[in-house]
């Protein structure tokens, strides 16, 4: 039994969709108390909000969840982080690796970033985002985790006391046996952690096989999906029939910032109304939320609407100067979470949410503890259904993924 700890809600839901698509039952939990009630399954995911958490807090959360997974029968633990290992030098990936490595006496501990099908790859240890070095991509403008160093070995080494080595694409393309020989050689050089290249899907598959006998591993989507498939033996027939989407009005909530979110909102606004909330509005949050819900109430119906806190780069930087980077983001999340709760109270039953942290805040606000993910049906993963406290359809996506029309297509897909 494999327990996967995802560092945000959207990432956990995304990989669950791919794992379900492989025929492997994979419940997604949002509350650690739910772990104790797990029915016997091969893989389970719990979504957390550790991505931006201080290192000590993230390690404490991972430790508590690991203990609960172990009591539920899990013999393997994986920590799932975002495809580009979003982090700063004070980030928590290294400290979580230290905890897991020490707990399971795992040496070497294998790590792998990247998600090739979405244009994030690692080649010769260097991170590329949409075919550009991450330091030359839009990721260098990320308001919370600007990526300025593309050397993943060097970046990870700044977060941990242990030695980080590299298993590169040249070693991986020779097949599992050749890769294992090189892996043993790199470990023999004194490296406690080994980053595995992810230049393509074959690299991810080989890396997962190399990690399959380990008690623990850390990786982004591609690595963890393949790791789950290997550990579960290629699938089972134990899944319940797929759930059906909820009926009712739809709404879109966008808390992500940057050119990807802006393009998706612009495409949506060509067809449906969009309300943009200014984070620099000096009124109380309660007043801002009340105005947003008043605007939305008049428009809830057969056609979807959108509410966003996204802004252009200048506005984001101004908000950060006024509130601080993390505080500005948290304010946006609180406002959108309250708006989401108000929309559901007013009858909305289909929600598309852009932004990992925003999704986490909204799921918590709605009291959702567990969902069932839909396999990819041509639009990617991220679709799920909650039954408690209400029957709700959700589409939760990372802010920087998806085509320009993904929000339009998502609300339509939830009609099925």
């Amino acid at each position: 039994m494999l327990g996967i700890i995802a560092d945000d809600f959207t990432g956990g839901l995304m990989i669950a969709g791919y794992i379900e698509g492989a025929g492997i039952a994979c419940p997604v939990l949002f509350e650690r108390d739910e772990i104790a009630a797990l029915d016997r399954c091969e893989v389970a995911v719990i979504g957390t909000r550790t991505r931006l958490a201080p290192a000590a807090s993230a390690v404490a959360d991972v430790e508590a969840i690991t203990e609960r997974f172990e009591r539920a029968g899990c013999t393997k633990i994986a920590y799932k982080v975002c495809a580009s290992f979003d982090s700063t030098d004070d980030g928590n990936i290294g400290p979580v690796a230290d905890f897991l490595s020490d707990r399971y006496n795992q040496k070497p501990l294998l790590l792998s970033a990247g998600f090739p099908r979405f244009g994030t790859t690692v080649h010769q240890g260097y991170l590329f985002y949409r075919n550009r070095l991450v330091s030359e991509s839009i990721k260098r403008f990320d308001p919370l985790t600007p990526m300025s160093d593309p050397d993943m070995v060097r970046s990870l080494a700044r977060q941990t006391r242990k030695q980080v080595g590299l298993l590169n694409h040249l070693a991986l393309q020779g097949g599992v046996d050749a890769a294992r020989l090189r892996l043993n050689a790199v470990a023999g050089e004194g490296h406690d952690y080994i980053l595995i290249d992810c230049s393509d899907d074959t690299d991810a598959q080989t890396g997962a096989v190399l990690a399959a006998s380990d008690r623990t591993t850390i990786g982004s989507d591609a690595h963890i999906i393949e790791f789950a498939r290997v550990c579960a033996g290629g699938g089972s027939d134990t899944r319940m029939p797929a759930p059906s989407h909820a009926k009712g009005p739809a709404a879109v909530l966008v808390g992500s910032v940057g050119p990807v979110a802006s393009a998706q909102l612009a495409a949506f606004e060509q067809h449906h109304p969009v309300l943009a909330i200014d984070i620099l509005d000096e009124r109380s949050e309660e007043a801002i939320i009340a105005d947003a819900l008043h605007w939305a109430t008049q428009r809830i119906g057969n056609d979807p609407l959108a509410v966003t806190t996204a802004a252009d780069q200048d506005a984001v930087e101004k908000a950060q100067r006024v509130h601080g980077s993390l505080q500005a983001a948290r304010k946006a999340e609180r406002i959108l979470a309250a708006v989401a709760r108000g929309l559901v109270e007013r009858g909305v039953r289909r929600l598309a949410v852009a932004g990992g942290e925003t999704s986490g805040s909204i799921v918590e606000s709605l009291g959702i503890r567990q969902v069932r993910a839909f396999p990819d049906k041509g639009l990617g993963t991220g679709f799920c259904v909650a039954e408690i406290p209400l029957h709700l359809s959700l589409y939760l996506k990372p802010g920087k993924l998806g085509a320009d029309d993904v929000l339009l297509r998502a609300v339509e897909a939830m009609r099925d």
Side-chain angles (χ1 to χ4, degrees), residues 11 39 44 48 74 89 124 126 151 155 157 189 257 260 286 299 352 402:
D39 291 331
T48 72
C74 290
D89 289 352
Q124 304 291 15
Y126 281 79
D151 188 327
S155 295
E189 294 168 359
V257 298
V260 175
E286 290 77 11
R299 293 166 175 82

Side-chain angles (χ1 to χ4, degrees), residues 120-173:
T120 303
T121 57
V122 178
H123 186 72
Q124 304 291 15
Y126 281 79
L127 178 65
F128 292 81
Y129 181 80
R130 296 192 172 185
N131 301 316
R132 298 187 65 84
L133 279 171
V134 70
S135 54
E136 299 176 4
S137 74
I138 61 174
K139 288 292 293 175
R140 71 187 188 275
F141 299 123
D142 191 294
L144 297 177
T145 53
M147 307 293 283
S148 58
D149 187 353
D151 188 327
M152 294 297 290
V153 171
R154 189 165 56 207
S155 295
L156 286 168
R158 291 195 290 267
Q159 293 187 10
T160 175
R161 63 184 183 274
K162 299 189 178 183
Q163 297 297 310
V164 184
L166 174 68
L167 187 67
N168 66 23
H169 175 69
L170 294 176
L172 295 166
Q173 69 178 358

Side-chain angles (χ1 to χ4, degrees), residues 319-334:
Q320 290 178 331
R321 288 194 298 270
V322 172
H323 297 292
S325 297
L326 187 57
Q327 289 75 17
R330 294 304 188 219
K331 179 180 180 181
E333 291 160 19
R334 287 194 301 272

Side-chain angles (χ1 to χ4, degrees), residues 198-258:
C198 190
S199 304
D200 52 31
D201 288 339
T202 301
D203 280 0
Q205 293 161 6
T206 302
V209 173
L210 293 174
S213 60
D214 295 345
R215 291 287 307 277
T216 188
T217 189
I218 293 178
S220 57
D221 312 68
H223 179 68
I224 301 300
I225 292 166
E226 293 300 330
F227 185 68
R229 287 173 174 168
V230 172
C231 291
S236 65
D237 296 320
T238 60
R239 292 186 302 158
M240 297 175 63
S244 59
H245 278 295
K247 308 294 184 183
V252 171
L253 297 157
V254 179
S256 182
V257 298

